[in-house]
Amino acid sequence: QVAANRTPTPVNVSVMHLRADSATVSWEVPEGDIVIGFSISQQRQDGHMQRFIREVNTTSHSCVLWDLEEDTDYIIQVQFIGLYGESQASQKVHFRTLKKTDRFSSNSSNQDDPTMQGLDKSRHLQTGEMIIIVVVLVMWAAVIALFCRQYDIIKDNDSSNNKEKVKQLSERSTPEHHSGGLLRSKVSLNEKCSRNLLPGRISF
Ligand SMILES: *[C@@H]1O[C@H](CO)[C@@H](O)[C@H](O)[C@H]1NC(C)=O
Ligand SMILES: *[C@@H]1O[C@H](CO)[C@@H](O)[C@H](O)[C@H]1NC(C)=O
């Protein structure tokens, strides 16, 4: 008789409609059992901020958790309230709220497994971060390449000025060869530097 009076434990507890500040907990009642209410304990995984939600005289199989913090891990447990008291707590269910900046709102969350959805979100974020990193590296490479070019132009101007002066001073070409050789080696060095920089960093 005691066993017959026992309130059933909630089954198939899951989290749907995952957002930055809310989520929906749902569960099922084993067939043939009478349940008149439920209570949910909600706790942040870091141990702070415990909350209890309790509703009686309801046949609802779900409950919205509101005022959640974004990008935070939570653990929930559901208990049934029956005619003879409370049931044992369900299995712990873990979920993580989304980031506010995430625009991929959960339209398809009804069918999807919430855990898989969480993974998808973080994959989206990782791709975004990678794109930012690549863009920054490309900009860096561009700045360096630009600097190399500017440096060459300055060098060029300097050496052509020198050439003019040298030509004016004498017809002899020994210093001319010298500065020309220097310039050529500078150019090839800089070209190597920018060629190595660009594709090398992008492929990362
Ligand atoms: C819980 O989920 C399983 C698998 O989806 C299903 O077979 C079972 O009927 C569900 N339990 C209840 C009480 O609905
Ligand atoms: C429970 O709900 C029924 C109707 O759904 C209502 O008549 C009754 O007064 C409610 N009982 C309590 C304790 O709220």
Side-chain angles (χ1 to χ4, degrees):
Q1 246 189 339
V2 177
N5 289 345
R6 227 175 49 201
T7 308
T9 309
V11 294
N12 293 350
V13 177
S14 64
V15 175
M16 313 180 300
H17 306 297
L18 209 51
R19 295 181 203 284
D21 61 352
S22 73
T24 303
V25 185
S26 72
W27 56 84
E28 278 162 17
V29 183
E31 217 168 314
D33 280 308
I34 295 167
V35 165
I36 60 165
F38 62 86
S39 64
I40 299 172
S41 87
Q42 169 205 312
Q43 189 173 7
R44 264 168 54 169
Q45 195 167 40
D46 57 17
H48 297 304
M49 291 288 290
Q50 199 155 18
R51 178 159 76 175
F52 291 98
I53 299 164
R54 193 180 162 91
E55 261 189 63
V56 286
N57 206 14
T58 176
T59 54
S60 178
H61 286 193
S62 67
C63 177
V64 177
L65 307 175
W66 66 97
D67 273 351
L68 303 179
E69 284 181 50
E70 63 165 331
D71 198 24
T72 303
D73 290 294
Y74 286 92
I75 295 168
I76 50 149
Q77 269 184 304
V78 183
Q79 270 175 290
F80 281 152
I81 301 165
L83 294 170
Y84 307 97
E86 294 202 339
S87 73
Q88 288 188 310
S90 69
Q91 282 187 316
K92 289 180 179 176
V93 174
H94 164 267
F95 68 94
R96 185 181 184 88
T97 49
L98 305 183
K99 283 189 181 175
K100 273 208 180 92
T101 50
D102 202 335
R103 288 187 199 165
F104 302 98
S105 195
S106 48
N107 295 327
S108 56
S109 59
N110 282 334
Q111 307 103 307
D112 289 357
D113 180 33
T115 328
M116 287 308 294
Q117 250 201 343
L119 284 177
D120 273 353
K121 301 294 175 200
S122 60
R123 224 173 279 141
H124 278 305
L125 285 177
Q126 274 173 5
T127 316
E129 279 163 13
M130 283 302 292
I131 288 169
I132 289 170
I133 289 169
V134 167
V135 166
V136 168
L137 287 175
V138 167
M139 284 174 68
W140 254 108
V143 166
I144 291 168
L146 200 68
F147 176 78
C148 291
R149 273 192 57 191
Q150 292 294 337
Y151 187 73
D152 279 351
I153 288 167
I154 291 166
K155 266 283 177 194
D156 240 343
N157 287 344
D158 274 0
S159 50
S160 51
N161 282 349
N162 286 344
K163 273 186 206 170
E164 295 293 313
K165 279 178 198 161
V166 167
K167 267 185 187 165
Q168 278 168 10
L169 283 176
S170 95
E171 301 289 335
R172 283 285 185 97
S173 55
T174 337
E176 203 178 34
H177 273 306
H178 187 233
S179 73
L182 249 180
L183 180 64
R184 237 170 273 130
S185 65
K186 262 284 191 287
V187 169
S188 61
L189 243 181
N190 288 337
E191 272 171 0
K192 250 186 232 163
C193 122
S194 43
R195 249 184 239 132
N196 283 345
L197 262 179
L198 277 163
R201 294 293 170 103
I202 288 171
S203 71
F204 164 75

